[in-house]
Amino acid sequence: KSNCGIKNLARILCIANQKGGVGKTSTAINLSAGIAKSGQSTLLIDLDPQCNATSGFGHAPADRHPLVLENPVRESVLATNIENLQVLPGSRNFRDVDSLATGSTTHQKILRQHLSSAGAVFDFIVIDCPPSLGEMTRTALAASTEVLMPIQCEYFAMEGLTQMIEVIREVMNSEQPTRLEFSGILLTMYDHQYELTHEVDEEVREFFGDIVFDAVIPRDINVAEASSHGVSVLDYAPRSRGARGYVELSMEILEHV
């Protein structure tokens, strides 16, 4: 495993989809919360220039993104209301966005070094990627051990999936060493009342099989409300359908070793 330049055994989960509005950041926030509540020391890295994963835990974006600085990552992490969970804040600084998005081997090496040092402290690292197939997402994928792709239960759910999976395969097969694996596809905004939801569920599972998570994330206003209060839905509304969905997802991921 050390061949890829990451000398720790931390699981590094990249949450990615080129489409916006599929529940990517909500999944990053609430999955990291669920994993942390299980007792795993967890770091949520905000790599999306929108910085919603940062504000989702009540923090302001950083002036400079910690991943482009020489300082150790541990000097920039911020606490959350969850004991085992910390956040590495994102930045809206255009210079940092450009730097992270170049995709050069130099920046990949720097990112790997930061993740390597973080992996010595944390058991689990969750990365919230921007909604794109750009170099920033590719760099994050190359430095991760697993990728989770959330898709919304809508008519065009399958649109773009093949393209995203092709990018993941390119990263896996690239000359740059990596230990990236496909963690799975997550169905979000799931509504049992709609026939379309069941049609999408059936189509995705029939096409992709075992790489689709058993857990689904229901459409639940509590998920959006929780982020506006700077906490996870597991804390905001622990008995809600959304919280239950993310707890089930967390358990499913933790059981996969």
Side-chain angles (χ1 to χ4, degrees):
K1 291 184 178 179
S2 60
N3 291 339
C4 69
I6 301 175
K7 300 178 182 179
N8 57 80
L9 298 180
R11 293 177 63 180
I12 306 173
L13 179 62
C14 182
I15 300 182
N17 192 320
Q18 77 271 33
K19 293 182 68 175
V22 298
K24 179 181 58 61
T25 298
S26 294
T27 297
I29 290 171
N30 294 297
L31 174 59
S32 60
I35 292 171
K37 284 177 179 289
S38 75
Q40 300 282 316
S41 177
T42 307
L43 175 66
L44 171 60
I45 296 179
D46 192 348
L47 208 57
D48 189 339
Q50 297 177 81
C51 300
N52 291 334
T54 302
S55 61
F57 276 111
H59 292 293
D63 293 332
R64 298 293 311 278
H65 201 294
L67 291 180
V68 302
L69 303 176
E70 293 183 3
N71 299 345
V73 166
R74 63 179 178 273
E75 295 181 6
S76 301
V77 297
L78 303 173
T80 70
N81 64 307
I82 300 173
E83 181 181 357
N84 291 315
L85 177 61
Q86 293 178 292
V87 177
L88 190 70
S91 171
R92 298 191 179 111
N93 186 308
F94 287 113
R95 183 172 46 164
D96 290 350
V97 171
D98 289 341
S99 179
L100 288 168
T102 60
S104 68
T105 53
T106 299
H107 285 104
Q108 286 189 16
K109 183 179 179 180
I110 292 172
L111 181 57
R112 287 175 184 275
Q113 289 173 342
H114 278 309
L115 291 175
S116 181
S117 63
V121 180
F122 297 94
D123 301 315
F124 218 109
I125 298 172
V126 177
I127 304 177
D128 183 30
C129 288
S132 77
L133 289 175
E135 291 300 334
M136 194 184 301
T137 297
R138 291 170 184 260
T139 298
L141 286 169
S144 300
T145 63
E146 304 165 50
V147 55
L148 181 155
M149 192 185 336
I151 63 169
Q152 186 177 353
C153 291
E154 61 173 14
Y155 186 72
F156 294 109
M158 299 285 280
E159 188 178 83
L161 264 184
T162 304
Q163 189 179 7
M164 184 73 205
I165 290 175
E166 186 59 35
V167 168
I168 294 170
R169 284 177 176 161
E170 286 178 11
V171 172
M172 288 179 173
N173 297 326
S174 67
E175 294 181 5
Q176 296 298 320
T178 180
R179 54 183 179 130
L180 181 68
E181 295 180 357
F182 204 124
S183 183
I185 294 171
L186 174 68
L187 295 171
T188 65
M189 302 177 197
Y190 199 102
D191 194 329
H192 290 279
Q193 295 181 342
Y194 294 145
E195 183 179 345
L196 176 61
T197 294
H198 296 285
E199 290 176 357
V200 171
D201 187 334
E202 183 177 341
E203 182 178 7
V204 172
R205 293 184 190 280
E206 182 177 338
F207 191 85
F208 292 104
D210 292 340
I211 65 171
V212 183
F213 286 103
D214 292 332
V216 298
I217 307 302
R219 189 180 293 277
D220 186 352
I221 190 63
N222 287 296
V223 175
E225 289 180 351
S227 294
S228 69
H229 286 79
V231 296
S232 74
V233 72
L234 280 69
D235 292 294
Y236 179 76
R239 296 177 182 269
S240 66
R241 292 175 300 153
R244 185 165 63 249
Y246 280 115
V247 167
E248 291 173 356
L249 174 65
S250 301
M251 292 173 63
E252 197 169 344
I253 286 177
L254 288 167
E255 287 170 0
H256 175 73
V257 180

